[in-house]
Structure formats: C-alpha cells, structure tokens
Amino acid sequence: MQSLTLLDVINAVGEYATTPDELKAAVIHLVNSGKVKLDGELAGCKIDFGPSADAGAVVVKSQTELPQQALDQAG
C-alpha cells in the first residue's frame, strides 16, 4: 500500500469534488476509515470535524490543526 501526504489526498479528491464540503467529507472518510494511510507527521492520525472541532479548522487527533483555507483552496 502506498502512503500519501494529506496534501496528496486533498489534491486527488479535489479533482473530482464539486464543493468544498464534498471535498472535506471525502478526505475525512478516506483517512478515518483507513482506506488511505497518511505518511509523514500525520501518519496514523484521525481527523475530527465534529461539533467539538473548531469551526475554522480541521483538527487531527494529534492536536495538529490544518487551516480551513487549505482545504477550500484544494477544492
């Protein structure tokens, strides 16, 4: 299985997603379900985008925050 960076996943899904929300949902599902394994600093992390997450960020369970703008720009 090939390991990917989060940016790789965002870029790949962004080619097909029609809205930023669709992009976020697909990336979160792929990462959290284990269908995609992340490499680098985020290896093994899960993404929390539930009600407890900051509205302006996607929070990775290792306490790393990714700005919403990065996901929006990819879609």
Side-chain angles (χ1 to χ4, degrees):
M1 177 181 280
Q2 179 182 358
S3 293
L4 302 168
T5 65
L6 184 56
L7 183 58
D8 292 335
V9 178
I10 291 170
N11 286 335
V13 173
E15 292 182 27
Y16 301 97
T18 57
T19 67
D21 287 340
E22 184 179 35
L23 172 67
K24 287 181 266 187
V27 169
I28 290 168
H29 170 73
L30 289 170
V31 172
N32 288 352
S33 70
K35 293 183 186 299
V36 169
K37 301 279 186 203
L38 296 177
D39 199 3
E41 291 181 26
L42 300 180
C45 291
K46 300 289 185 189
I47 300 172
D48 179 9
F49 198 71
S52 63
D54 180 2
V58 173
V59 180
V60 179
K61 292 223 175 158
S62 67
Q63 305 302 317
T64 303
E65 292 187 7
L66 303 171
Q68 181 69 45
Q69 181 181 10
L71 289 175
D72 291 343
Q73 288 175 349

